[in-house]
């Protein structure tokens, strides 16, 4: 009897890895809406950020393209090939998203004084790596050999797990200037490079006497996720699924289910309170717009006419996509793609997608069922079909769906149909074809979006080149509250990945004290601190400190509130700034304690905090410094 498997494919179609300066790593989540929870946290014992790795799998398909089963090295021979690159410095400047109708700004080359064959020195391309077998690792599988001018820049490595699946790890998060010049702007720092990357994942599979070339996938290496378990109101999954629906590649929902189509929008709006103070005041705990509060949620999840007014109020607050009016009072309060280049246009602010908005419109009218909150099923308990559906969605849901100015993970090419081969699979160039880096002196919207243009087929380095160089300068530039006329620290850029204001570990410890009265505990809940407070307020020093010290920043992680003596005014779960390092190993206090105590770094950290507190060298939580500054173009 012949095999039912007639082809094979790699999943996820797009894997999202993240840089880290630790030798330890954790796997990216494979379950949509449920973040990874690495053992012992997101930093190692030395305070270094763990890498986020991607695990690629092979699935066998039948003659109709239906998923049959996963194929591992227990069943098949699998030879993996991975080829990644960093083309940022040899690409065009970012000015704005080139697919904005009538608004795209043609861009000249980055490092424009480098010409001719010398421009190849701007591309970091270590070539391909081939690996097969179980639990294979070694220096020969590291992406070394690629150079920025004469400087070798490692981009990561591949290895295999106990089932022969491919494990991909990205770079260390290192950035530098070839000329030792300071960074001066958010996205186009000439002479600079970083070690994010992207590229293709391919495999040859031998199963039951037949050899298959797997449908390839891509991997992209992005900056760290500093808001673990938080999601953007508009995710990249929302963006691409909306694209597919509007172009007939996917069906729009026949029936609207509150907990599937509406609640994620409301919940993600509310949970942004943990990374932006303005969101906290508008939508956070004890706010009349806390859509997740039991009494409000009960009304919003009920399709009866008696709650129509409540639903209408919420729906009418959200910004309409493709609108023709500038409506800064609408939500979500995020900047849009046109912010900084144009004023008083609709896309200066971020709207929902068409599909999200249409779902909310039906919900407001009562055309929905309530459903139930989604629990989490372990990946291994899913059927093969369910596993591939999860692997399609989870990586894209983890990434921001805007604003694309330019974005911090993946960006605006994803919302163009020419970029895609089929739903969730990027159109990939032939294996030996190098992505073009030269489309003429100016890259215009017409060139960028045309057949045979840079969106019409991707290869090593195609995805990350649209983003800022280095990544740290963009991340330290795109925060919130640039308009001094606003009372609240909104709009925001990318708060779910690049926090603005946060609940510190000290505040969390104090509000958890059940011996304190409720009013005082609420004061500590209300007090938020700037995430980048250690880097100062001057723009150029701040972005250059970010290049060197990004790994010292806290990671925002969910913490349960101790239940003993909990007041109804405090939330059941909070996101707290964790593992923040207010010093480096060059800190004299650190060295003093290390030598005196012969202690571990975690013990040293606690001792240094105590010493600095006694010496008056820490911020006083009782006296927050309120800062507002006007928008400047170089600061985003």
């Amino acid at each position: 009897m012949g095999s039912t498997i007639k082809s094979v494919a790699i999943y996820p179609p797009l894997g999202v890895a993240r840089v880290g300066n630790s030798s330890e790593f954790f796997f990216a989540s494979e379950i949509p809406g449920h973040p990874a929870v690495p053992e012992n946290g997101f930093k190692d014992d030395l305070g270094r950020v763990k890498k986020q790795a991607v695990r690629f799998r092979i699935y066998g398909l039948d003659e109709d393209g239906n998923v049959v089963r996963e194929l591992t090295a227990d069943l098949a021979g699998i030879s993996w090939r991975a080829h990644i690159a960093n083309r940022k410095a040899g690409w065009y400047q970012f000015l704005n998203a080139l697919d904005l109708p009538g608004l795209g700004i043609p861009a000249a080359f980055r490092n424009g004084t480098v010409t001719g064959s010398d421009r190849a020195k701007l591309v970091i391309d270590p070539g391909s790596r081939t690996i097969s077998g179980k639990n294979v690792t070694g220096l020969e599988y590291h992406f070394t050999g690629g150079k920025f001018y004469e400087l070798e820049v490692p981009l990561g490595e591949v290895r295999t797990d106990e089932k022969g699946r491919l494990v991909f790890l990205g770079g260390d998060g290192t950035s530098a200037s070839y000329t030792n010049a300071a960074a001066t702007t958010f996205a186009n720092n000439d002479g600079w490079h970083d070690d994010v990357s992207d590229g293709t994942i391919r495999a040859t599979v031998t199963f039951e006497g037949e050899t298959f070339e797997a449908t390839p996938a891509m991997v992209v290496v992005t900056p760290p996720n500093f808001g673990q378990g938080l999601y953007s109101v508009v995710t990249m999954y929302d963006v691409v699924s909306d694209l597919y629906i509007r172009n007939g590649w996917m069906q729009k929902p026949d029936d609207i289910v509150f907990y599937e189509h509406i609640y994620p929008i409301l919940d993600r709006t509310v949970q942004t309170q943990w990374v932006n103070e303005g969101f906290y005041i508008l939508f956070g705990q004890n706010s009349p717009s806390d859509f997740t509060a039991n009494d409000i949620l009960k009304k919003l999840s009920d399709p009866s006419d008696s709650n129509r007014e409540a639903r209408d109020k919420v729906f009418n607050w959200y910004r309409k996509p493709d609108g023709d009016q500038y409506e800064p009072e609408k939500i979500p309060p995020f900047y849009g793609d046109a912010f900084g280049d144009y004023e008083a246009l609709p896309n200066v602010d971020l709207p929902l997608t068409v599909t999200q908005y249409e779902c909310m419109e039906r919900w407001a009218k009562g055309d929905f069922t309530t459903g139930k909150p989604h629990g989490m099923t372990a990946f291994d308990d899913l059927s093969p079909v369910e596993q591939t559906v999860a692997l399609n969605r989870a990586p894209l849901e983890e990434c921001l769906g805007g604003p694309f100015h330019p974005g911090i993970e993946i960006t605006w090419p994803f919302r163009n149909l020419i970029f895609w081969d089929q739903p969730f699979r990027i159109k990939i160039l032939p294996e030996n074809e190098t992505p073009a880096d030269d489309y003429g002196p100016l890259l215009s919207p017409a060139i960028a979006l045309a057949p045979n243009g840079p969106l019409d087929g991707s290869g090593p380095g195609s995805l990350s080149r649209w983003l800022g160089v280095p990544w740290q300068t963009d991340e330290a530039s795109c925060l919130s509250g640039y308009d001094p006329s606003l009372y609240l620290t909104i709009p925001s850029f990318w708060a779910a990945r690049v926090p603005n204001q946060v609940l510190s570990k000290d505040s969390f410890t104090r509000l958890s004290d059940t011996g304190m009265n409720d009013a005082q505990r609420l004061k500590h809940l209300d007090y938020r601190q700037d995430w980048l407070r250690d880097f100062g307020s001057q723009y150029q020093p701040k972005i250059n400190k970010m290049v060197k010290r990004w790994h010292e920043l806290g990671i925002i992680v969910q913490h349960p509130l101790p239940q003993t003596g909990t007041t109804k005014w405090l939330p059941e779960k909070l996101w707290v700034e964790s593992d923040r390092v207010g010093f480096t190993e060059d800190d004299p206090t650190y060295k003093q304690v290390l030598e005196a105590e012969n202690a571990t770094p975690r013990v040293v950290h606690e001792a240094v905090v105590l010493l600095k507190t006694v010496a008056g060298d820490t911020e006083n939580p009782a006296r927050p410094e309120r800062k507002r500054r006007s928008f400047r173009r170089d600061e985003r």
Side-chain angles (χ1 to χ4, degrees), residues 26-31 34-38 42 52 228-229 231 398:
F26 62 93
F27 285 110
S29 173
E30 297 175 321
I31 301 292
H34 294 275
V37 184
F42 293 94
Q52 177 172 299
Q228 293 288 341
Y231 296 88
E398 180 184 306

Side-chain angles (χ1 to χ4, degrees), residues 293-547:
N294 289 334
D295 55 340
I296 298 175
L297 185 59
K298 185 176 180 180
K299 292 181 179 180
L300 298 181
S301 62
D302 179 8
S304 65
D305 287 342
S306 61
N307 290 309
R308 173 69 185 266
E309 183 179 359
R311 296 193 304 270
D312 276 339
K313 284 183 178 179
V314 174
F315 168 66
N316 289 327
W317 199 3
Y318 278 88
R319 188 174 295 111
K320 184 178 181 180
D322 302 325
D324 58 2
Q325 300 294 320
Y326 175 54
E327 299 178 306
E329 71 280 3
K330 297 279 190 175
I331 64 172
F334 291 107
Y335 292 116
D337 296 344
F339 175 72
D341 298 309
Y342 301 95
E343 296 182 358
L345 294 179
N347 47 6
V348 165
D349 297 304
L350 184 72
L352 299 176
T353 69
V354 171
T355 300
Q356 285 179 309
Y357 192 83
E358 289 179 352
C359 287
M360 290 199 77
E361 188 171 36
R362 291 176 60 183
W363 161 73
K365 294 176 180 178
D367 179 16
F368 72 99
T369 57
T370 302
K372 295 181 179 180
H374 290 293
M376 191 186 90
T377 303
F379 187 84
D380 290 340
D381 292 335
L382 299 175
S383 70
V385 172
E386 291 171 331
Q387 289 179 350
T388 57
V389 170
L391 292 171
N392 282 341
R393 181 167 185 162
L396 292 169
E397 198 164 76
E398 180 184 306
C399 293
L400 303 172
F404 297 138
H405 203 275
I408 201 63
E409 296 161 318
I410 47 182
T411 187
W412 63 268
F414 280 71
R415 65 184 175 197
N416 292 272
L417 205 63
I418 194 174
F419 181 76
W420 297 95
D421 183 53
Q422 56 182 280
F424 307 110
R425 289 203 180 270
I426 296 167
K427 189 184 298 180
I428 296 177
L429 295 171
E431 185 164 9
N432 296 317
E433 185 173 332
T434 301
D437 294 315
D438 188 346
Y439 287 86
L442 286 177
L443 183 63
S444 66
I447 294 172
L449 301 173
N452 300 315
L455 270 60
D456 193 10
S458 297
S462 292
L463 308 185
S464 57
R465 62 185 175 181
W466 300 97
L467 300 168
V469 57
W471 66 267
Q472 294 98 330
T473 58
D474 202 8
E475 191 155 286
S477 299
C478 297
L479 303 171
S480 66
Y482 295 133
D483 185 346
S485 68
L486 292 176
Y487 161 63
L488 303 177
T489 50
I490 51 175
S492 175
F493 269 100
W494 307 315
R497 294 292 163 266
V498 184
N500 307 147
Q501 300 83 31
V502 297
L503 182 70
S504 71
K505 191 67 174 287
D506 184 57
S507 292
F508 175 71
T509 299
R510 292 169 187 249
L511 70 86
S512 299
D513 183 356
T514 57
M516 193 180 293
N517 67 63
D518 287 355
Q520 189 65 20
R521 295 174 73 187
L522 283 169
K523 287 182 181 179
H524 292 299
L525 176 67
D526 292 345
Y527 177 56
R528 304 298 165 93
Q529 296 199 58
D530 286 342
W531 181 61
L532 291 178
R533 58 192 179 277
D534 290 328
F535 295 173
S537 59
Q538 296 299 310
Y539 178 68
Q540 194 166 334
K542 180 175 68 175
I543 63 174
N544 284 280
K545 287 179 182 178
M546 183 70 172
V547 170

Side-chain angles (χ1 to χ4, degrees), residues 189-246:
N189 289 286
D190 282 354
W192 279 79
H193 73 275
D194 59 29
D195 65 354
V196 305
S197 62
D198 65 87
T200 54
I201 306 295
R202 303 176 188 270
T204 302
V205 180
T206 302
F207 178 70
E208 294 186 348
E210 291 191 71
T211 299
F212 302 94
E213 188 61 29
T215 302
M218 291 199 74
V219 66
V220 62
V221 182
T222 77
N225 177 358
F226 288 103
Q228 293 288 341
L230 298 173
Y231 296 88
S232 176
V233 178
V234 182
T235 69
M236 186 60 83
Y237 177 81
D238 294 319
V239 169
V240 301
S241 59
D242 174 70
L243 173 70
Y244 304 151
I245 288 170
R246 288 186 290 104

Side-chain angles (χ1 to χ4, degrees), residues 14 24 58 119 154 259 289 345 376 395 432 453 475 521 609:
L14 174 68
E24 298 181 28
I58 300 287
R119 290 196 64 80
Y259 276 104
S289 301
L345 294 179
M376 191 186 90
N432 296 317
E475 191 155 286
R521 295 174 73 187
V609 172

Side-chain angles (χ1 to χ4, degrees), residues 91-93 95-100 103-108 412 439-450 453-455 466:
W91 191 235
Y92 293 84
Q93 295 179 349
L95 299 179
N96 70 352
L98 292 176
D99 62 345
L100 293 176
L103 301 178
I105 303 172
W412 63 268
Y439 287 86
L442 286 177
L443 183 63
S444 66
I447 294 172
L449 301 173
L455 270 60
W466 300 97

